[in-house]
């Protein structure tokens, strides 16, 4: 096909931009990964951050673009600063199970610790790393600053360690330009691995049937990680069932029957050492309905529940990957989750404190704020509907119904779609 000059120039300009970004990455970092393990501990009113360990592996599978700024704030942030100049050379945001636990009754009478692991590219020169946690008012509540010398002999090199068996399920392209998602088996025995692989395939189909993933599937790579379990299934404490599985996952997190999590994020990273990944989806070998999703940490869901693939996995991945908030609500027992004087960082929730930064530009002309539900165009009619983030008052969502609100809906609303699209661009463009 004959090309015109204009498209050819556009391609050359795009290639120049991509090259410039890669040069910046290559100037500061090596093509290898540094894992930083922290302990977060405290009570409902105190927080402590401690450095636990450093290790490295060959290959870097994270983003090489937009290194010095955050797309989403999260409930915690990691900043990497050049030790000589003080310039930010990499940053990352996250949420943690520890911060969720701080809102529980148990945290009022007990101090606990939770491990967390984060990856940064290995720098060529010494860097200062700042790890900080923030509260619901976006105030920094704890911070740890420490220096990392890439030549430190106590940084363990794990490049030659035996890997957990793994394989590619779908490869949209090179890891330099794609987002790498790892499906991890939990509670599957050797004999059940073919079933796990089939469940991975159907989960990918479920995810990619939702926009904007459908249109942007070429920007994703999926791998299957296959640790063999000694026992079949996962632990269900309320049934007095405790099993020996690779990730030791269990229901009844914070005494909530359906909340399925893992007790150690570090163990998850151990199992995936040397494997290309940026995000995790853990498939738990159980029919018990439930799961969980923590922003830039992991998604976990029942692999055998009839509703899991089209509902739980997609919804929870909206949390862990998309940084989306829950749009359902209760009778205000969670009224302190989103303070009235602070704009949430999740792109699909607002308290109207800074609504201009959210979806005001997507409102049809003349839309009332707040918007009265019409009962029509439930997922496509963008408005400002009261009720979201667990609160029936003071927090607003963008549509009457959405994948982030109820299981019966088969799609994300336009605001959630745009938020996910922006994040995919942030990782890959």
């Amino acid at each position: 096909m004959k090309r015109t000059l204009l498209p050819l120039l556009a391609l050359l300009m795009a290639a120049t931009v991509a090259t410039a970004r890669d040069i910046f990455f290559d100037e500061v970092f090596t093509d290898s990964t540094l894992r930083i393990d922290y302990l977060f501990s405290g009570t409902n009113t105190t927080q402590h951050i401690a450095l636990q360990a450093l290790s490295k592996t060959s290959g870097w599978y994270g983003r090489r673009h937009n290194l010095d700024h955050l797309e989403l704030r999260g409930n915690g942030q990691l900043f990497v600063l050049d030790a000589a100049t003080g310039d930010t050379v990499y940053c990352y945001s996250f949420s943690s199970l520890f911060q969720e636990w701080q809102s529980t009754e148990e945290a009022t009478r007990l101090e606990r610790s939770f491990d967390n692991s984060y990856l940064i590219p290995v720098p060529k020169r010494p860097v200062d790393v700042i790890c900080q946690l923030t509260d619901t008012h976006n105030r920094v509540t704890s911070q740890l600053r420490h220096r990392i010398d890439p030549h430190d002999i106590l940084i363990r090199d794990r490049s030659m360690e035996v890997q957990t068996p793994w394989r590619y399920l779908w490869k949209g392209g090179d890891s330099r330009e794609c987002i790498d998602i790892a499906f991890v088996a939990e509670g599957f025995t050797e004999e059940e691995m073919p079933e796990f692989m089939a469940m991975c395939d159907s989960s990918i189909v479920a995810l990619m049937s939702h926009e904007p993933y459908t249109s942007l599937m070429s920007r994703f790579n999926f791998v299957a990680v296959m640790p063999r379990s000694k026992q079949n299934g996962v632990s269900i404490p309320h049934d007095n069932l405790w099993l020996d599985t690779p990730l030791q996952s269990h229901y009844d997190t914070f005494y909530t029957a359906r909340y399925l999590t893992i007790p150690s994020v570090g163990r998850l990273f151990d199992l995936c050492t040397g494997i290309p990944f940026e995000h995790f989806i853990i498939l738990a070998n159980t029919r018990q309905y439930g799961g969980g999703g923590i922003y830039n940490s992991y998604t976990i869901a029942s692999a055998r529940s009839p509703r899991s693939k089209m509902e739980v996995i997609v919804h929870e991945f909206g949390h862990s990957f998309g940084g989306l908030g829950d749009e359902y609500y209760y009778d205000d027992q969670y009224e302190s989750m989103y303070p009235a004087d602070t704009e949430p960082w999740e792109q699909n929730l607002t308290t109207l404190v800074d609504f201009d930064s959210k979806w005001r530009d997507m409102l049809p002309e003349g839309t009332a704020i707040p918007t009265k539900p019409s009962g029509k165009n439930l997922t496509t009619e963008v408005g400002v509907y009261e009720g979201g983030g667990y609160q029936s008052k003071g927090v607003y969502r963008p549509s009457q119904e959405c994948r982030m609100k109820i299981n019966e809906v088969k799609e994300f609303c336009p605001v959630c779609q745009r938020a996910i699209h922006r994040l995919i661009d942030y990782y890959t463009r």
Side-chain angles (χ1 to χ4, degrees):
M1 182 180 292
K2 189 175 181 179
R3 292 183 178 180
T4 64
L5 181 60
L6 189 59
L8 187 58
L9 286 174
L11 286 172
L12 290 173
M13 289 176 64
T16 301
V17 172
T19 302
R21 286 169 175 164
D22 287 345
I23 288 174
F24 174 75
F25 179 91
D26 292 338
E27 286 178 350
V28 180
F29 301 106
T30 65
D31 188 23
S32 48
T33 298
L34 180 66
R35 170 178 159 185
I36 310 175
D37 298 330
Y38 293 106
L39 287 177
F40 298 162
S41 62
T43 65
N44 66 317
T45 58
T46 62
Q47 293 179 332
H48 310 287
I49 304 173
L51 178 64
Q52 187 178 32
L54 299 172
S55 59
K56 63 182 179 181
T57 53
S58 58
W60 169 248
Y61 305 104
R63 74 183 194 276
R64 295 170 183 259
H65 317 309
N66 306 307
L67 301 176
D68 60 352
H69 69 275
L70 297 173
E71 178 68 16
L72 296 178
R73 191 179 74 231
N75 295 319
Q77 301 83 34
L78 198 71
F79 297 99
V80 181
L81 284 62
D82 186 288
T85 65
D87 295 335
T88 299
V89 293
Y90 187 79
C91 52
Y92 186 79
S93 62
F94 57 86
S95 295
S96 68
L97 192 63
F98 165 66
Q99 289 163 294
E100 286 188 30
W101 172 79
Q102 285 190 294
S103 66
T104 68
E105 184 277 332
E106 184 182 57
T108 66
R109 53 183 171 82
L110 181 67
E111 181 163 349
R112 289 189 59 186
S113 64
F114 295 71
D115 71 344
N116 292 271
S117 298
Y118 304 105
L119 305 179
I120 68 171
V122 173
K124 293 183 176 180
R125 300 178 293 274
V127 294
D128 289 327
V129 177
I130 299 173
C131 181
Q132 65 185 29
L133 304 179
T134 54
D135 64 12
T136 54
H137 292 278
N138 195 29
R139 297 175 301 210
V140 176
T141 51
S142 57
Q143 185 181 91
L144 174 68
R145 182 172 182 144
H146 59 101
R147 181 156 295 186
I148 296 178
D149 183 340
H151 303 295
D152 187 339
I153 61 172
L154 295 182
I155 298 177
R156 178 178 176 178
D157 191 342
R158 307 182 68 168
S159 300
M160 302 305 293
E161 293 185 7
V162 177
Q163 291 183 343
T164 304
W166 69 280
R167 72 174 67 166
Y168 273 104
L169 298 163
W170 161 263
K171 195 167 186 180
D174 190 282
S175 287
R176 288 172 174 259
E177 302 298 335
C178 290
I179 301 164
D180 295 280
I181 312 295
F183 281 93
V184 183
E186 168 64 344
F188 288 85
T189 63
E190 176 76 39
E191 295 73 24
E192 292 175 309
M193 278 302 147
E195 292 180 76
F196 166 70
M197 297 298 292
M199 292 171 184
C200 290
D201 289 338
S202 58
S203 296
I204 293 173
V205 171
L207 278 173
M208 294 298 122
S209 68
H210 292 72
E211 287 290 357
Y213 303 123
T214 306
S215 301
L216 302 175
M217 188 173 179
S218 63
R219 299 200 208 173
F220 287 89
N221 296 329
F222 293 95
V223 302
V225 184
M226 298 169 278
R228 273 59 172 176
S229 182
K230 295 179 181 178
Q231 293 181 285
N232 164 292
V234 299
S235 297
I236 307 175
H238 63 258
D239 288 339
N240 196 30
L241 178 65
W242 290 96
L243 301 178
D244 185 5
T245 59
L247 292 170
Q248 301 290 299
S249 67
H250 64 82
Y251 287 88
D252 296 287
T253 302
F254 309 152
Y255 298 96
T256 301
R258 291 180 176 178
Y259 198 5
L260 174 64
T261 63
I262 59 176
S264 172
V265 175
R267 177 58 178 156
L268 175 60
F269 276 68
D270 287 343
L271 289 175
C272 295
T273 297
I275 297 172
F277 74 86
E278 296 174 72
H279 301 272
F280 299 107
I281 299 176
I282 303 166
L283 296 184
N285 189 15
T286 176
R287 295 187 63 84
Q288 185 90 8
Y289 178 73
I294 304 170
Y295 173 56
N296 272 347
S297 187
Y298 61 84
T299 282
I300 184 169
S302 164
R304 297 187 183 277
S305 171
R307 294 191 291 170
S308 67
K309 293 177 180 62
M310 288 302 295
E311 296 174 4
V312 178
I313 290 175
V314 176
H315 176 93
E316 299 299 346
F317 195 64
H319 290 311
S320 71
F321 173 77
L324 299 173
D326 282 316
E327 295 181 13
Y328 53 83
Y329 50 90
Y330 304 110
D331 294 326
D332 294 330
Q333 65 264 46
Y334 292 95
E335 60 184 6
S336 63
M337 292 291 289
Y338 293 95
D341 62 353
T342 305
E343 185 66 24
W345 60 266
E346 296 93 335
Q347 294 302 292
N348 61 326
L349 298 176
T350 183
T351 55
L352 301 180
V353 171
D354 184 17
F355 184 48
D356 286 349
S357 68
K358 295 302 176 65
W359 62 89
R360 182 185 291 276
D361 63 314
M362 297 180 70
L363 292 180
E365 185 176 352
T367 300
I369 302 176
T371 309
K372 183 179 180 181
S374 67
K376 302 177 182 178
N377 304 316
L378 298 181
T379 61
T380 59
E381 186 178 277
V382 177
V384 187
Y385 302 95
E386 191 164 28
Y390 321 116
Q391 301 174 209
S392 63
K393 302 294 182 183
V395 178
Y396 303 84
R397 65 189 190 278
S399 66
Q400 295 172 80
E401 305 296 353
C402 176
R403 168 60 71 194
M404 297 310 297
K405 182 173 181 287
I406 59 174
N407 285 331
E408 289 74 19
V409 169
K410 303 303 180 185
E411 60 188 344
F412 291 105
C413 72
V415 171
C416 287
Q417 288 188 36
R418 183 176 73 169
I420 296 172
H421 197 152
R422 284 175 169 174
L423 202 56
I424 294 172
D425 284 345
Y426 172 72
Y427 282 111
T428 62
R429 293 290 184 265

